[in-house]
Amino acid sequence: MAVGTLATVKSLDPVDLRELGAQMILSNAYHLHLRPGDELIRDFGGLHSFMGWNGPILTDSGGFQVFSLEGLRTVSEDGVEFRSHIDGSKHVFTPESVMRIERNLGADVIMQFDHVIPGQSEESVARDASERSLRWLARCMAEIERLQASGGPPPTTTIADRPSLPGTTFPLPAPSHPQALFPIVQGGIHPSLRAEAARAIRDLGDWPGFGIGGLSVGETKPDMYRILEVVDGELPRDRPRYLMGVGFPEDLVEGVRRGVDLFDCVAPTRMGRNGAAFTRDGRLNIKRTEFRTDPRPLDSECDCATCRRFTRAYIRHLVAADEILGLRLLSLHNVHFLVQLMRDARVAIRAGTLDAWSRDWLTRYHTRPTSNV
Ligand SMILES: [Zn+2]
């Protein structure tokens, strides 16, 4: 999934994403609730209509963001009280309020509100958060069922002061399609807790898919792989598994090897802002002096719109001059790179050659030439 936290995949428009072959976008309930407001988005017909993307969208619940606000939040069994990172205003997220926000946004897949803990938390802390997340999951499920049965939340805002859309009746009909609620398997780096959480979640309902949360937050790679293997053994094989917040190329390949289907990460566009590009031979920093006169594309085997048309020398010039096109060309390439990587993985899975393909891919990626950093 391409990451569009604020209802935009930075510097790319939905037409670009379609051309790249991106299938799904991730957005974020916490950020959109604070700005521009989920009720406003609902009045524009939901997120798909608001941002002009007619493909699938997944919204994260904001648990990760709210629990990251160290010192600005209070946690209770009911939910989390926190202050906005934008203006310091006070807000309360409960499983029920988050479901109403995600309902207003109208994504196809919505994540439960969960209790997120720091990566290396000890077992008692991880158990406490995991068990609370399970109780919150039951509340999320009850609330979303209630909202779907009642055709969505009633409008509570006044819309008189909002501009009308040319040629349409305002407000647009709020999204009313059913939404797939994904539970999130927590449990830190403790294999037995993860297995328990996965089983307890399965006992609670017949889920359309599963999130795996709380990884890639400071634990070692072997710890992450071990947890993925434990969870892989516990979750049904015919439902998608989403490894949350993970999305560097090597992590995607290692995740696919361990049964993961969905990923997201801000890396492709965030790295672009730092002048970094993914290549089959590892990461490349276009700001390096040696690229000043380099006539080659970013990646000689890439057929993206950037690599087909532009040299490393030109992109380096744009980035050095802080030109907006530099970021855009790098983002186009990086998102394309990950989309193509997952295409290749699917081909290998169908051909029954995933093991050999992934080992070769990882060997080449990690054996980077000296020009790549
Ligand atoms: Zn490219």
Side-chain angles (χ1 to χ4, degrees):
M1 294 179 283
V3 174
T5 303
L6 300 175
T8 165
V9 179
K10 291 192 191 304
S11 83
L12 303 181
D13 117 5
V15 174
D16 299 321
L17 294 166
R18 274 277 173 240
E19 280 171 7
L20 289 170
Q23 296 183 346
M24 193 164 182
I25 289 178
L26 171 137
S27 204
N28 188 279
Y30 165 82
H31 286 282
L32 295 177
H33 169 68
L34 294 181
R35 186 171 58 190
D38 50 285
E39 291 174 343
L40 181 142
I41 291 176
R42 175 202 61 202
D43 290 347
F44 275 85
L47 204 42
H48 298 82
S49 159
F50 188 58
M51 68 181 289
W53 168 257
N54 59 7
I57 301 177
L58 176 148
T59 42
D60 195 4
S61 65
F64 182 81
Q65 284 71 25
V66 168
F67 282 95
S68 304
L69 297 167
E70 200 61 59
L72 292 175
R73 55 166 172 80
T74 325
V75 185
S76 71
E77 182 61 22
D78 189 47
V80 184
E81 187 180 291
F82 61 95
R83 288 189 180 279
S84 156
H85 73 286
I86 300 168
D87 59 8
S89 57
K90 203 186 270 186
H91 300 259
V92 178
F93 270 11
T94 64
E96 291 79 13
S97 74
V98 168
M99 287 301 102
R100 288 194 289 273
I101 292 168
E102 294 199 83
R103 184 76 183 148
N104 282 338
L105 297 173
D108 306 276
V109 177
I110 59 177
M111 303 308 293
Q112 79 157 105
F113 187 54
D114 60 339
H115 186 161
V116 180
I117 51 171
Q120 313 274 18
S121 297
E122 60 185 60
E123 187 157 353
S124 61
V125 175
R127 173 178 295 281
D128 192 48
S130 177
E131 290 175 356
R132 173 167 293 132
S133 294
L134 197 66
R135 294 191 294 275
W136 283 1
L137 173 60
R139 287 168 57 187
C140 286
M141 183 166 60
E143 180 66 7
I144 202 68
E145 280 173 1
R146 188 186 72 76
L147 291 171
Q148 287 182 172
S150 68
T156 54
T157 48
T158 64
I159 52 160
D161 56 353
R162 299 212 189 121
S164 59
L165 295 173
T168 62
T169 309
F170 192 86
L172 299 173
S176 59
H177 55 271
Q179 296 173 286
L181 173 64
F182 278 23
I184 301 174
V185 179
Q186 291 286 1
I189 51 169
H190 311 286
S192 59
L193 271 186
R194 288 278 179 176
E196 264 178 57
R199 278 181 227 137
I201 286 169
R202 289 190 69 176
D203 287 344
L204 206 59
D206 181 22
W207 306 101
F210 297 83
I212 305 168
L215 289 175
S216 199
V217 287
E219 78 284 357
T220 64
K221 296 274 182 187
D223 274 344
M224 176 163 98
Y225 301 153
R226 196 159 47 98
I227 293 298
L228 286 179
E229 283 156 17
V230 168
V231 174
D232 182 26
E234 297 292 341
L235 296 181
R237 303 204 71 84
D238 61 347
R239 303 292 156 92
R241 297 93 172 267
Y242 160 35
L243 178 53
M244 303 176 71
V246 172
F248 285 105
E250 62 272 35
D251 298 330
L252 265 60
V253 174
E254 297 281 9
V256 169
R257 285 171 63 87
R258 292 165 179 83
V260 178
D261 303 283
L262 279 165
F263 304 86
D264 78 273
C265 189
V266 295
T269 47
R270 180 172 291 169
M271 281 182 34
R273 292 206 287 287
N274 299 325
F278 297 132
T279 81
R280 282 158 181 77
D281 298 302
R283 222 179 285 179
L284 175 149
N285 185 349
I286 199 68
K287 289 179 180 168
R288 288 168 67 111
T289 315
E290 67 203 82
F291 298 129
R292 199 172 152 266
T293 56
D294 194 330
R296 294 174 295 171
L298 289 172
D299 182 332
S300 56
E301 291 169 46
C302 180
D303 64 350
C304 81
T306 299
C307 292
R308 282 199 315 267
R309 296 183 294 161
F310 302 104
T311 62
R312 291 177 176 182
Y314 178 62
I315 297 167
R316 183 186 182 281
H317 157 68
L318 293 176
V319 171
D322 219 10
E323 279 294 331
I324 199 165
L325 184 61
L327 161 62
R328 183 174 148 70
L329 294 181
L330 283 168
S331 296
L332 276 170
H333 166 79
N334 284 337
V335 173
H336 180 274
F337 185 88
L338 294 186
V339 168
Q340 184 60 44
L341 178 60
M342 291 296 91
R343 253 189 225 126
D344 293 345
R346 284 194 289 272
V347 168
I349 289 170
R350 289 198 193 99
T353 56
L354 179 70
D355 202 44
W357 172 83
S358 59
R359 263 188 281 115
D360 290 349
W361 192 94
L362 287 165
T363 302
R364 179 171 172 190
Y365 191 78
H366 290 304
T367 317
R368 49 188 69 168
T370 49
S371 65
N372 290 8
V373 291

